[in-house]
Amino acid sequence: MQTSRSAVRCRPERLASLLGALAIVAGVSLFAQRGQSARAAAPVDLTGYWVTVVTEDWRYRMVTPARGDHPSVPLNAAGNAAANAWDPAKDEASGEQCRAYGAAGVMRTPGRIHITWADEATLKIETEAGTQTRLLRFTTTPGSESQAGWQGQSAATWEFAGARGGRGGAAPAGPRAGSLKVVTTRMRPGYLQKNGVPYGANAVLTEYFSRTVETNGDSWLILTSIVEDPQYLTGPFIRSTHYKRLPDNNTAWEPEPCSAR
C-alpha cells in the first residue's frame, strides 16, 4: 500500500545549494576552531555495514514496476511524458544501465551498503546495488568538480542536537548527539524509480542520516531524502528509507552491476 506524502512548498534549487554551501562553511569553521576534523567532530557513528529493510513501497523496490506505474511521485507533464516513454532496451543500447543507481535513486535500492571514512573529511558509501561509490565531503566547495556523474557532488555537514541554528553550530556540552545532512548537486540525469521516473541535471538531493540504538541492541539508520527538480517535479519528493546495522564481522557482500530492467 502506498504511503501518502504531504505536499511541501518547493524552494528553488539555487537556494538549496546556497544553504548547503553555507552549512559547509559553518561546519568547517567549527572544526577548525575546535581543532577537530570532521571525523573527530562526528556526533554519531554511521560507519559499518547496513542492509535495507523494505517496510514501504515493496512493489516499487523489490521488483521493477511496469512502465507508467508511479502514482506517488509528483511528476509534472514533462516528467510524466518521460516516465511513460521509458525503454530499458534503449538504455542498454546507449550504455545508460546505471540511470536508476544515481545518488537520487540508489539509496532506495534493496541491498547492503558499507559506510567508512575515506579520509578525515570524507565519508564513503559503497553499495551492493549497481556497485556504486558515494563520497560525502565536508570540505568541498560546491561546483568544484568539472563533470557531473551518477553520484553528483555531495556536500556534508554535521547537525548537532541542541545547537543554536542547527547548522554547524557548537556542539552541546556533554555527550554529543546529532545527525548528518548531505546536499547533492551536479548529478547526471537518472531515475527516481527503476521504471524510468526521471530526475534532471538541475535536481537537488537533500538527505538527513540519523542513527538509533534500540533496547535489544539493534541499531537502525534512518535516511530521509528530499528531491527537488524544477524540470520534472511539481514539488519536493520525500522518502524515508531504513537500514539495519549488520555485525562488524559481516562477510556477506555481493556487489551487482547496474541493470536497466
Side-chain angles (χ1 to χ4, degrees), residues 4 27 150 185 188 193 258:
S4 61
W150 292 123
T185 56
R188 186 174 173 179
Q193 285 184 183
C258 296

Side-chain angles (χ1 to χ4, degrees), residues 3 27 67 74 85 99 140 143 164 190 254:
T3 303
R67 181 171 54 198
R99 279 185 174 270
T140 298
R164 184 183 299 274
E254 300 176 354

Side-chain angles (χ1 to χ4, degrees), residues 18-220:
L18 177 59
L19 290 175
L22 291 175
I24 293 171
V25 172
V28 171
S29 297
L30 168 67
F31 303 150
Q33 291 170 5
R34 296 174 64 91
Q36 293 179 310
S37 65
R39 181 175 184 176
V44 60
D45 182 13
L46 302 178
T47 62
Y49 288 92
W50 305 82
V51 65
T52 49
V53 177
V54 181
T55 57
E56 64 172 11
D57 293 345
W58 195 95
R59 70 187 180 100
Y60 299 100
R61 300 172 63 189
M62 298 303 294
V63 296
T64 301
R67 181 171 54 198
D69 188 3
H70 43 75
S72 65
V73 186
L75 294 171
N76 58 23
N80 268 300
N84 294 336
W86 172 61
D87 184 349
K90 184 177 179 180
D91 285 344
E92 290 169 344
S94 59
E96 297 285 298
Q97 297 95 324
C98 288
R99 279 185 174 270
Y101 301 86
V106 70
M107 301 300 287
R108 195 69 172 170
T109 305
R112 301 175 188 85
I113 63 173
H114 187 206
I115 303 178
T116 57
W117 282 96
D119 56 45
E120 292 298 303
T122 308
L123 272 172
K124 179 169 70 172
I125 301 178
E126 298 169 281
T127 71
E128 282 186 325
T131 319
Q132 299 295 305
T133 299
R134 299 186 62 191
L135 296 176
L136 316 181
R137 304 183 189 276
F138 288 81
T139 57
T140 298
T141 301
S144 65
E145 294 184 2
S146 59
Q147 186 175 358
W150 292 123
Q151 302 312 318
Q153 181 172 310
S154 296
T157 184
W158 293 121
E159 294 200 331
F160 297 98
R164 184 183 299 274
R167 291 189 177 90
R176 290 176 293 183
S179 60
L180 175 68
K181 177 181 178 181
V182 180
V183 178
T184 301
T185 56
R186 297 180 60 79
M187 293 179 286
R188 186 174 173 179
Y191 295 152
L192 296 169
Q193 285 184 183
K194 200 168 183 180
N195 61 336
V197 178
Y199 61 88
N202 292 321
V204 176
L205 169 65
T206 303
E207 298 167 291
Y208 297 90
F209 295 77
S210 300
R211 180 177 178 176
T212 68
V213 178
E214 307 302 320
T215 55
N216 65 355
D218 288 347
S219 185
W220 294 83

